[in-house]
Amino acid sequence: MSDRFTEGLEKLRIGAVLMLVVRAAGVLILAALGGLSLLVLTQNTVAPGGIPVLATLGFIIVVEIIVAVVYVLTIFGYLIPPFTRFKEYSLEDFSTPTTLVQVGYGVFSALLFISIMLPLMSGLLTVADILRLIGEIGLALGLFKLEEFTGVSGFKTSAKLILAGTALGIILPVAAVVSVIGWILLYKATKTALTKKQAQPSLAQSQPVNHTPFQHPSRRRQSPPHPVKHYTNH
């Protein structure tokens, strides 16, 4: 497995941890906003602990902005770059996933910031969610390929959960918790793949040169059969 492919896995592992934090924080923020809405409906102006509702709301908004910043930094630092590296390793297998990840996540990030900085443009969030879904379709396609390349189970399951959580989250925001489980599984899968890679150099020394760790099964060369010598009696 090339160094660039390994770098991609390492970045994806970090990205999975950061996305786990971001998605979990998003669920907590939604729960907090729901609680404040109930307080407003019951005409209470003080949240539990004696903190005014407006002050609590202001704190939640600040946290939401921080989470959004971490989200965007994660996308451009630890989600898009891994797929760029995977594409360098195998253009045929990772070209489409990389394009979808770049376009979907990239435009989603721009719309997310516009909607936060300009509250009147909050309607863009729906469009942003659709673009994020496109990005995660690319992510899912790439994760399916990663399971084939590494032989490590868990990539496909995480892809399905992340995609389902985002799709359901457009209709029912609380469903984003499904994505949290998906990111946990992705972290475990990338960690297992990297551990497998680290355990192979010593083994590779005793293997034929044409054996490449984590190479796609369809591309692994098979050693040519040894020629059969025929002996004749003279």
Side-chain angles (χ1 to χ4, degrees), residues 49-212:
I51 304 174
V53 168
L54 287 178
T56 305
L57 179 60
F59 174 75
I60 292 175
I61 291 174
V62 171
V63 172
E64 186 176 13
I65 292 174
I66 293 173
V67 170
V69 171
V70 174
Y71 199 168
V72 172
L73 292 177
T74 300
I75 286 173
F76 286 101
Y78 297 100
L79 289 185
I80 293 178
F83 279 85
T84 302
R85 286 160 172 75
F86 298 152
K87 182 179 176 180
E88 292 174 4
Y89 182 73
S90 176
L91 177 63
E92 177 185 353
D93 292 289
F94 290 100
S95 178
T96 299
T98 301
T99 300
L100 292 176
V101 166
Q102 289 174 333
V103 174
Y105 276 135
V107 181
F108 159 75
S109 300
L111 294 181
L112 178 64
F113 258 105
I114 292 174
S115 62
I116 290 176
M117 299 303 174
L118 301 173
L120 294 178
M121 302 289 287
S122 59
L124 290 175
L125 284 175
T126 302
V127 179
D129 283 336
I130 294 173
L131 285 163
R132 179 175 61 184
L133 182 60
I134 292 173
E136 291 187 350
I137 288 174
L139 175 72
L141 292 174
L143 294 183
F144 270 66
K145 289 294 182 181
L146 283 179
E147 183 155 324
E148 294 178 5
F149 271 72
T150 63
V152 174
S153 61
F155 284 106
K156 291 182 179 180
T157 303
S158 65
K160 293 173 184 177
L161 291 175
I162 292 170
L163 197 55
T166 300
L168 294 174
I170 295 176
I171 304 171
L172 184 63
V174 180
V177 70
V178 177
S179 290
V180 174
I181 300 173
W183 288 109
I184 292 174
L185 293 179
L186 178 55
Y187 168 76
K188 293 178 66 176
T190 52
K191 183 179 180 181
T192 301
L194 287 168
T195 301
K196 180 179 178 181
K197 166 63 173 62
Q198 292 170 358
Q200 283 190 344
S202 58
L203 178 63
Q205 293 175 2
S206 62
Q207 297 293 332
V209 176
N210 62 359
H211 176 77
T212 305

